[in-house]
Amino acid sequence: QQQVKQSPQSLIVQKGGISIINCAYENTAFDYFPWYQQFPGKGPALLIAIRPDVSEKKEGRFTISFNKSAKQFSLHIMDSQPGDSATYFCAASIEGSQGNLIFGKGTKLSVKP
Amino acid sequence: DAGVIQSPRHEVTEMGQEVTLRCKPISGHNSLFWYRQTMMRGLELLIYFNNNVPIDDSGMPEDRFSAKMPNASFSTLKIQPSEPRDSAVYFCASSLALGGGFYEQYFGPGTRLTVT
């Protein structure tokens, strides 16, 4: 119930391509879905987040698509660049939980030049 | 702002020794989280505090692990005795949680622990 399942574990994309990472959840009480980006040797940092009252949120080359009925959400990185190579974590939270996030296992993205 | 500060950045110790990891959250933040990251298990929440009070410690692996937050600007995670399987990167994160709403967690740089 508390899990967030993330796939794939790793992803290799050519420069300029689209990177797609998927997450699924079971707990319908989740109402906040952020994505975190982690570079080697660093802590994760918030990249983009969405609430379930919208189906899509775009910030630059990064887009979250949200399907409430399927309990799935995904991160799309358009025009992927070598600098996007990092590990990406999806997460979910419940309003009022003092900021507690349930993280997916992470996806290691490599963008080849 | 200096961000979340963790020390030490690297720790190498022998099995059976006590290890203490330290965290200074961002000033003004009232929630603090300890995570452990390994290749096998990913990012695991160990414990989190709100207003210095432990809220959920269900992720603490066993009694060898303990965490304290004596005040709003300092927290420790202690492992005693340490074991090789405790080798991981330990992250501290903080956020400002004001009841309802959604809060970004700010992560520190992590402490890489190696237990030999």
Side-chain angles (χ1 to χ4, degrees), chain B residues 103-116:
Chain B
Y103 311 104
E104 178 178 356
Q105 288 189 18
Y106 295 80
F107 282 75
T111 294
R112 181 174 294 277
L113 173 64
T114 302
V115 183
T116 60

Side-chain angles (χ1 to χ4, degrees), chain A residues 98, chain B residues 32 47-57 67-69:
Chain A
Q98 294 102 23
Chain B
L32 184 140
I47 185 171
Y48 79 95
F49 297 83
N50 182 252
N51 293 323
N52 311 337
V53 175
I55 302 299
D56 184 354
D57 66 355
K68 294 182 179 180
M69 191 164 187

Side-chain angles (χ1 to χ4, degrees), chain A residues 44-67:
Chain A
L46 179 65
L47 180 64
I48 186 173
I50 196 169
R51 291 189 61 178
D53 51 353
V54 297
S55 60
E56 186 175 283
K57 182 173 181 180
K58 184 176 181 179
E59 289 185 3
R61 296 184 293 108
F62 300 89
T63 300
I64 300 179
S65 297
F66 186 83
N67 185 329

Side-chain angles (χ1 to χ4, degrees), chain B residues 44-102:
Chain B
E44 301 174 276
L45 177 67
L46 301 177
I47 185 171
Y48 79 95
F49 297 83
N50 182 252
N51 293 323
N52 311 337
V53 175
I55 302 299
D56 184 354
D57 66 355
S58 60
M60 296 286 262
E62 48 199 275
D63 292 346
R64 297 185 297 107
F65 285 68
S66 62
K68 294 182 179 180
M69 191 164 187
N71 57 62
S73 59
F74 184 65
S75 177
T76 59
L77 177 68
K78 184 178 293 186
I79 308 172
Q80 182 183 15
S82 58
E83 296 182 3
R85 60 191 168 123
D86 302 330
S87 297
V89 180
Y90 291 81
F91 287 103
C92 174
S94 70
S95 70
L96 176 59
L98 298 174
F102 311 96

Side-chain angles (χ1 to χ4, degrees), chain A residues 15-86:
Chain A
K15 178 182 175 181
I18 301 173
S19 304
I20 302 174
I21 305 170
N22 301 299
C23 285
Y25 63 96
E26 290 295 324
N27 189 346
T28 54
F30 287 145
D31 52 8
Y32 173 63
F33 302 90
W35 286 87
Y36 279 72
Q37 180 187 53
Q38 183 181 28
F39 292 106
K42 305 289 187 183
L46 179 65
L47 180 64
I48 186 173
I50 196 169
R51 291 189 61 178
D53 51 353
V54 297
S55 60
E56 186 175 283
K57 182 173 181 180
K58 184 176 181 179
E59 289 185 3
R61 296 184 293 108
F62 300 89
T63 300
I64 300 179
S65 297
F66 186 83
N67 185 329
K68 189 173 182 178
S69 61
K71 292 184 285 186
Q72 295 176 348
F73 58 110
S74 60
L75 176 70
H76 295 236
I77 306 174
M78 310 300 289
D79 187 26
S80 299
Q81 299 297 312
D84 298 330
S85 297

